Amino acid sequence: MPRFSVIVPVYKVQAYLHACLDSVLGQSYRDIEVIAVDDRSPDGCGEILDAYAARDERLRVLHLEENVGLGRARNAAMPHATGDYLFFLDSDDTLTPGALRALADRLDETGDPDVLVFDYARTYWWGGTRRNVLSHVLTEAAGSTFTAAERPGILELLMVVWNKVYRRDFVEREGFTFPPGYYEDTPWTFPVLLSAERIATLDRICLYYRQRRQGNILSTTSRKHFDVHEQYARVFRFVDARPALAHWRPFLHAKMGEHCLDILSKPDRLPPSDRAEFFRRTAEMFHAHRPPGVRTPAELRALEGGYAGYLLRRRAQRTGRDLARRAGQVRAATAARAVRARSLLRRPLDPDLAVYSAFSHRGMYGDPAAVYRAARELAPHVRGVWVVADEERAAVLPPDTPYVLLDSPGYRRVTERATYFVNNVNWPWALAKRPGSVHVHTHQGTPLKYMGADLLGKPGARLHFDVPRMLRRADRWDYSLVANRHSERVWEGAFPCHFTSLRSGSPRNDVLVRGDEERARATRERLGVPAGDTVVLYAPTRRDYRRDGLVERIDLARFAADLGEGRTLVVRLHPSLADGPARGLGLAELHRRGVLVDATDEPEVQDVLLAADVLVTDYSAVMVDYALLDRPIVIHADDWDAFRASRGVYVDVTAEAPGHVTRSYRELAWLFASGTWADAESARLRAAFRERFCEFDDGGAAERVVRTLMLGEPMPDPPAGPGLLPAQAGGRDLLTPS
C-alpha cells in the first residue's frame, strides 16, 4: 500500500489545477496515490483530471454526479484510499519541492503518529509570500510526539485540514468525516487533535496556501457564513459525548467566540442586512455553551450585550485620527456616489445601446469589429457606437459608422447609458461599471506568453504596466471570450476576477475559417504582390529583454533573395513595434526598393493571413489564428531561451510547434530550399496544434456572441473541433524547391 493517499477535491479551479497536480505528481517521493474528486465542476477540471490520469497511473479520478461541496467531496474519496496516511490537499494550493519526502522521513522518525502537523506559507497573487506567523509553535514541539493536552499551543494554529497528514486507521477507527457547509474544517480538526494520542510536528514549509485575489469561498459575501454556528455545535456535541474531553469546553467556548467575531469583523463576509442577526445568533450560542464559573475574556465581553453595544465597542477601538480619516473618506465617497447616483438616475440604461472599442480606440478592428458587424445583421435594434481616440482615427472608419471621441461629452453620454461594452483592451479607468451593464472582453489572441497577474514575476516584461491597476479594470468584465480550453484556463488564472468564460471562438477569425479568396486576392493586389507569386509571411513578435522590444533575428534582404523568383516576402511587425525604429532600420527602405512588402500598416491582420501561403513566425500568437487556414507554419526560434526567461511562456512552441522549428538562419534557408517546410511531418504537427488551439472556432463565433449576450438565446455547445477548412489561398502553386 502507498505511504500517502493525497485527496484533492476539485471545483472550478481549472486555472490552478495544473500547478496543483504537477506539484504532487512531480515530487521526488513517489510512494503515493492521488484521488481527485471532480465535484461536478462546470469548467474544464474534469477533462484536465482525466488527461493527467491517462498519463500517471497513481492518479484516480472520481466524477460525482452532483455538486456536494468540499467536505462531502473529501468524504467520497476516503473509502477509496489505501495509503498509510491521508493528505487533504485543496486543488488551488501546491506542495513545495521535497515536501512528501520530508513528511515521510518525519513520520518514520516519530514512529507513525496519529497526526503530523507541518508548516505552510501564504502565496499572494501579486507575487508575495508570507510564512505562517505561528511557525514557532512547530519549532517548540519539534521533539517527540505529544497530545494536545501536553502542548495546547498546537490548537492555536490555523484550524484547517490541509496542514496535517492523518494516519488512516486512526481516522477510520474514530469515524471522522466532514460535514456539509462552510467552515467544514472546524468540526474535523478540533475532534481529530483532541482525540489523537500521538501528535508530531514538522518545522518545514510543505505547502503553498494560495491567497486568491477573488474567488475564495470564505471571502464571498453570503449567508452561508452562518454555517459556522452549526459547525461549532458539532464540536460541542463531540466533546459532550466524551466526558474525558470536558476540560476543553472553556477553550472551545472562547475559540468559538473569537472565530465568529472575526467573521463579523470582515467587511466581505456577511451581507450588511444580516450582520445584526449573525451577532445575535453568536451571542445566543456563546451564552448557551458558556461553562459555569468561567470568566469571559475582555475581548469577548461584547457577546454579553447587544449588537448596538458591539458596534460602539468597535468604534471605540479606533483612534481619533483613524476615525477622522475614515469619516472623511466615507463622506467623500458618499458625496461622490450621490453625485454619480443623481447623474445615473437621469440617464437610465439603454437596453439597445452597445459601445465598441478596439486596440486602445484605434478604430473598427479585431473581435469587436466582428461582433459589431454580426450585431448589425442579427440584432439591428441594438445601436452600436464606436469609441475612437481622435478625428484622425474616426476618418478611417467605414462610412456612416456612429462614433464618439474619447473623453468627449458624447463619449460620456453613451458610456453612461450603454448596456453592452465590447472591447479587446481594458476600458479607461474613469469609466464606472453600472449595475445591469454587460462588459465583454474579447482579448487579442490566444495567450502563449505570460499575461496579467503572471507578469508580476517578470519585471522586464511588465515595464510601464501597473498590474494591480490593470486587474482592477478587469474587474468590470462580465464575459471573457475564449477559442480553446487553454485560453480559458490561462485567462482565469492571469486575471483573477469575477467573470464568465464564454466558449465562443474568436469572432475576428470567422473569416479565416470560412475562407475568402476574393478578400485574399484584393489584399495581394493592394500590397503589390505579383500575380501568381507565393507569399511567405514573416510576423515576428516583440522581445521583452530589449527596452525597445526590437531584435533583428533575420537579414530580411538575404531571406527575400534566398526565396528566389516567384516568391514574395511579406513582413508584418508586432503592433508595438510599428511606430518604433524597426522600420527605419531597413524595413521601409527594402519595401521602397521592392525587395519585400511591409504589411505592418494593414489595418486587419486577417487580410494579411488570408493572402499568405506560409507563415514564418517566432513566438507570436498569430500562429494560432493562421493555423485555422491549415497552411504551413515555420517557427524560427533562435533566441527561445532568452525569450522564455524574460517574458515567461504558457506553451513551449518549440516542443508543441505547429510546424517545423529552426534554430538558425541556415536551418531556415535550408527548410525552404529543400521544400521540407511543407512535408507530411509539417502537416502532422499542424493537425495536432489545430486540435488543441482551434477547438471552438467554426466560423460562427460572432453570431454566438450576439445571440447569447444580446438576444438572450441559450449558449450552444461549443464545436467539437476546428470548422471546415478553406482551400489554399487562390489555388496558387506553393513554394517548391529551387
Side-chain angles (χ1 to χ4, degrees), residues 430-458:
L431 191 153
K433 186 182 190 303
R434 292 188 58 183
S437 63
V438 178
H439 283 238
V440 182
H441 195 76
T442 70
H443 304 284
Q444 297 180 36
T446 293
L448 302 180
K449 55 192 177 185
Y450 278 9
M451 298 288 184
D454 294 331
L455 290 174
L456 287 166
K458 298 291 181 180

Coordinates of all heavy atoms in Angstrom, one line a residue, residues 430-458:
A430 N -11.5 55.8 -15.7 CA -12.6 56.7 -15.3 C -14.0 56.1 -15.6 O -15.0 56.6 -15.1 CB -12.5 58.0 -15.9
L431 N -14.1 55.1 -16.4 CA -15.4 54.5 -16.8 C -15.9 53.6 -15.7 O -15.3 52.6 -15.4 CB -15.3 53.8 -18.1 CG -16.6 53.3 -18.8 CD1 -16.4 53.2 -20.3 CD2 -17.1 52.0 -18.2
A432 N -17.0 54.0 -15.0 CA -17.5 53.2 -13.9 C -18.5 52.2 -14.5 O -19.4 52.6 -15.3 CB -18.2 54.2 -12.9
K433 N -18.4 51.0 -14.0 CA -19.4 50.0 -14.5 C -20.7 50.1 -13.7 O -20.7 50.0 -12.5 CB -18.8 48.6 -14.3 CG -19.6 47.5 -14.9 CD -19.1 46.1 -14.6 CE -19.8 45.0 -15.4 NZ -21.2 45.0 -15.1
R434 N -21.8 50.2 -14.5 CA -23.1 50.4 -13.9 C -23.7 49.0 -13.7 O -23.5 48.1 -14.5 CB -24.0 51.2 -14.8 CG -23.5 52.7 -14.8 CD -24.6 53.5 -15.5 NE -25.9 53.4 -14.9 CZ -27.0 54.0 -15.3 NH1 -26.9 54.7 -16.5 NH2 -28.1 53.9 -14.7
P435 N -24.5 48.8 -12.6 CA -25.3 47.6 -12.5 C -26.2 47.4 -13.7 O -26.8 48.3 -14.1 CB -26.1 47.8 -11.2 CG -25.3 48.9 -10.5 CD -24.7 49.8 -11.5
G436 N -26.2 46.2 -14.2 CA -27.0 45.9 -15.4 C -26.3 45.9 -16.7 O -26.8 45.4 -17.7
S437 N -25.1 46.6 -16.7 CA -24.4 46.7 -17.9 C -23.6 45.4 -18.2 O -23.4 44.6 -17.2 CB -23.4 47.8 -17.9 OG -22.4 47.7 -16.9
V438 N -23.3 45.1 -19.4 CA -22.6 43.8 -19.8 C -21.3 44.1 -20.5 O -21.3 44.6 -21.6 CB -23.5 42.9 -20.7 CG1 -22.8 41.7 -21.1 CG2 -24.9 42.6 -20.0
H439 N -20.2 43.8 -19.8 CA -18.9 44.1 -20.4 C -18.3 42.8 -21.0 O -18.2 41.8 -20.3 CB -18.0 44.6 -19.3 CG -18.2 46.1 -19.0 ND1 -17.2 47.0 -19.1 CD2 -19.3 46.7 -18.5 CE1 -17.7 48.2 -18.8 NE2 -19.0 48.0 -18.4
V440 N -18.0 42.8 -22.2 CA -17.5 41.7 -23.0 C -16.1 42.0 -23.3 O -15.8 42.9 -24.1 CB -18.3 41.4 -24.2 CG1 -17.8 40.1 -24.9 CG2 -19.8 41.2 -23.9
H441 N -15.1 41.2 -22.8 CA -13.7 41.3 -23.2 C -13.3 40.2 -24.2 O -13.5 39.0 -23.9 CB -12.8 41.2 -21.9 CG -11.5 41.8 -22.2 ND1 -11.2 43.1 -22.3 CD2 -10.3 41.1 -22.4 CE1 -9.9 43.3 -22.5 NE2 -9.3 42.1 -22.6
T442 N -12.8 40.6 -25.3 CA -12.6 39.7 -26.4 C -11.1 39.2 -26.4 O -10.8 38.2 -27.1 CB -12.9 40.3 -27.7 OG1 -11.9 41.3 -28.0 CG2 -14.3 40.9 -27.8
H443 N -10.2 39.9 -25.7 CA -8.8 39.7 -25.8 C -8.3 39.9 -27.2 O -9.1 40.3 -28.1 CB -8.5 38.2 -25.4 CG -9.0 37.9 -24.0 ND1 -8.4 38.4 -22.9 CD2 -10.1 37.2 -23.6 CE1 -9.0 38.0 -21.8 NE2 -10.1 37.3 -22.2
Q444 N -7.0 39.6 -27.5 CA -6.4 39.9 -28.8 C -5.8 38.6 -29.4 O -5.1 38.7 -30.4 CB -5.3 41.0 -28.6 CG -5.9 42.3 -28.2 CD -4.8 43.4 -28.1 OE1 -3.9 43.4 -28.9 NE2 -5.0 44.3 -27.1
G445 N -6.0 37.5 -28.8 CA -5.5 36.3 -29.3 C -5.3 35.3 -28.2 O -5.5 35.5 -27.0
T446 N -4.8 34.1 -28.6 CA -4.5 33.0 -27.7 C -3.3 33.3 -26.9 O -2.2 33.6 -27.4 CB -4.3 31.7 -28.4 OG1 -5.6 31.3 -29.0 CG2 -3.9 30.6 -27.5
P447 N -3.3 33.3 -25.5 CA -2.1 33.6 -24.7 C -1.1 32.5 -24.7 O -1.3 31.4 -24.2 CB -2.7 33.8 -23.3 CG -3.9 32.9 -23.3 CD -4.5 33.0 -24.7
L448 N 0.0 32.8 -25.4 CA 1.1 31.9 -25.4 C 2.2 32.3 -24.4 O 3.0 31.5 -23.9 CB 1.7 31.8 -26.8 CG 0.8 31.3 -27.9 CD1 1.5 31.3 -29.2 CD2 0.2 30.0 -27.6
K449 N 2.3 33.6 -24.1 CA 3.2 34.1 -23.2 C 2.5 34.8 -22.0 O 1.3 35.0 -22.1 CB 4.1 35.2 -23.9 CG 3.4 36.3 -24.5 CD 4.3 37.1 -25.4 CE 3.5 38.2 -26.2 NZ 4.3 38.9 -27.1
Y450 N 3.2 35.0 -20.9 CA 2.6 35.5 -19.7 C 1.8 36.8 -19.9 O 2.2 37.7 -20.6 CB 3.7 35.7 -18.6 CG 4.1 34.5 -17.9 CD1 3.8 33.2 -18.3 CD2 4.9 34.6 -16.8 CE1 4.2 32.1 -17.7 CE2 5.4 33.4 -16.1 CZ 5.0 32.2 -16.6 OH 5.4 31.1 -15.9
M451 N 0.7 36.8 -19.2 CA -0.2 37.9 -19.2 C -0.7 38.2 -17.8 O -0.6 37.4 -16.9 CB -1.5 37.6 -20.1 CG -1.1 37.3 -21.5 SD -0.7 38.8 -22.4 CE -0.5 38.2 -24.1
G452 N -1.3 39.4 -17.6 CA -2.0 39.8 -16.4 C -1.1 39.6 -15.1 O 0.0 40.0 -15.1
A453 N -1.7 39.0 -14.1 CA -1.0 38.8 -12.8 C 0.2 38.0 -13.0 O 1.1 38.1 -12.1 CB -2.0 38.2 -11.8
D454 N 0.3 37.1 -14.0 CA 1.5 36.3 -14.1 C 2.8 37.1 -14.5 O 3.9 36.6 -14.4 CB 1.3 35.2 -15.2 CG 0.2 34.2 -14.8 OD1 0.1 34.0 -13.6 OD2 -0.5 33.7 -15.7
L455 N 2.6 38.4 -14.9 CA 3.7 39.3 -15.2 C 4.4 39.8 -14.0 O 5.4 40.4 -14.1 CB 3.2 40.4 -16.1 CG 2.8 40.1 -17.5 CD1 2.2 41.3 -18.2 CD2 4.0 39.6 -18.3
L456 N 3.7 39.6 -12.8 CA 4.3 40.2 -11.6 C 5.7 39.6 -11.3 O 6.5 40.3 -10.7 CB 3.4 39.9 -10.4 CG 2.1 40.8 -10.4 CD1 1.1 40.2 -9.4 CD2 2.4 42.2 -10.1
G457 N 6.0 38.4 -11.8 CA 7.3 37.9 -11.6 C 8.3 38.1 -12.7 O 9.4 37.6 -12.7
K458 N 7.8 38.9 -13.7 CA 8.7 39.3 -14.8 C 8.8 40.8 -14.9 O 8.1 41.4 -15.7 CB 8.1 38.7 -16.1 CG 8.0 37.1 -16.1 CD 9.3 36.5 -16.1 CE 9.2 35.0 -16.2 NZ 10.6 34.3 -16.2

